[in-house]
Amino acid sequence: MLKVGITGGIGSGKTTVCEIFSSFGIPVFNADAETKQLYTNSTELRHQLVVTFGEDVFLTSGAINKAFLSEKLKFDEGRKALNDTVHPFVFERFKQWSDEQKSPYVIKEAAILFESGADKTVNKSILVTAPMDIRIDRVKSRDARTSEEIQSIIASQWTDSRLRDLVDFIVVNDGKHSLIEQVRDLHAKLIHQATHF
Ligand code: ATP
């Protein structure tokens, strides 16, 4: 089955684009949401997290300690340790999930598709782009995040200019180009590619 990755910086509109693919009947795997599920449900991942980061990685309630992890994520070393621990579990979950789908192609939504190496788990990739000021405004209206928090997330993600050279398709979500038309065109192309895959 053809596997398609969708990536883009914070607030670019990945989820919005995925909702349109979903409305066309295409199954979408949300890597962030699946990771959160695994933090709760995978005994093996929970064990590996404790081995890597110590007991403080979980609160006494058993929930993941977000504040502790956020501190770790500020540094390359911590980010790498977390990614190296978590991603093999997410990759395996994506493989199992894909095998269960009955669709010409499936989509994996991942904010850090290339940064995490998840690009190797898909056959084609799509970048969602939007001007930086629009992205920041959209995130501010959606989340209770400060400008500093948003800037720090942006700084930790690869830039559009770097990603542009790596992807197969680009969707422009600047509020001027029709998203539905772009996704409809891409859907037709992907259905065609899936039949020759
Ligand atoms: P994140 O990486 O933070 O999960 P994302 O790339 O998935 O973000 P979305 O959540 O799809 O981005 O979009 C960010 C916000 O902007 C959402 O509130 C969404 O409803 C809004 N938005 C996205 N695209 C548009 C658009 N074309 N016009 C107006 N609002 C939009």
Side-chain angles (χ1 to χ4, degrees):
M1 178 189 290
L2 185 73
K3 294 172 185 163
V4 181
I6 293 199
T7 194
I10 181 169
S12 56
K14 296 176 291 297
T15 303
T16 307
V17 166
C18 285
E19 280 165 3
I20 303 175
F21 275 108
S22 189
S23 74
F24 294 156
I26 299 303
V28 176
F29 178 96
N30 181 315
D32 285 351
E34 292 290 336
T35 303
K36 283 181 192 141
Q37 287 282 320
L38 287 166
Y39 284 152
T40 308
N41 300 332
S42 167
T43 314
E44 209 186 327
L45 172 59
R46 290 174 68 88
H47 171 71
Q48 288 300 327
L49 284 166
V50 172
V51 170
T52 308
F53 295 107
E55 301 282 348
D56 288 345
V57 74
F58 292 109
L59 299 169
T60 44
S61 65
I64 195 87
N65 187 341
K66 285 187 198 160
F68 176 88
L69 273 189
S70 302
E71 280 306 307
K72 299 284 170 196
L73 287 173
K74 285 185 182 157
F75 306 97
D76 288 348
E77 207 176 82
R79 221 163 23 235
K80 184 173 178 337
L82 184 65
N83 287 342
D84 289 351
T85 309
V86 172
H87 287 135
F89 289 87
V90 183
F91 292 175
E92 183 54 32
R93 178 75 199 108
F94 178 57
K95 193 174 168 302
Q96 284 171 357
W97 174 89
S98 303
D99 290 345
E100 290 161 10
Q101 305 309 312
K102 300 203 179 346
S103 170
Y105 69 95
V106 294
I107 283 185
K108 180 185 212 176
E109 176 188 350
I112 52 167
L113 187 73
F114 289 89
E115 295 92 321
S116 69
D119 58 305
K120 295 179 195 74
T121 67
V122 295
N123 312 104
K124 296 283 169 194
S125 54
I126 300 169
L127 172 67
V128 183
T129 66
M132 192 63 86
D133 52 336
I134 294 183
R135 284 169 52 191
I136 293 171
D137 285 350
R138 285 177 183 160
V139 176
K140 277 188 180 160
S141 324
R142 187 194 59 184
D143 302 342
R145 290 188 207 259
T146 63
S147 299
E148 289 70 33
E149 282 171 324
I150 301 170
Q151 290 295 351
S152 125
I153 293 169
I154 289 170
S156 74
Q157 298 178 331
W158 287 9
T159 60
D160 280 1
S161 58
R162 184 170 182 184
L163 292 168
R164 234 172 248 284
D165 293 337
L166 302 172
V167 296
D168 300 289
F169 306 103
I170 294 178
V171 170
V172 180
N173 183 22
D174 58 2
K176 294 180 196 147
H177 297 76
S178 161
L179 263 194
I180 297 210
E181 277 172 28
Q182 291 179 79
V183 176
R184 196 189 292 128
D185 287 353
L186 262 181
H187 177 60
K189 281 189 185 130
L190 291 167
I191 291 278
H192 181 259
Q193 296 196 359
T195 53
H196 295 90
F197 187 68

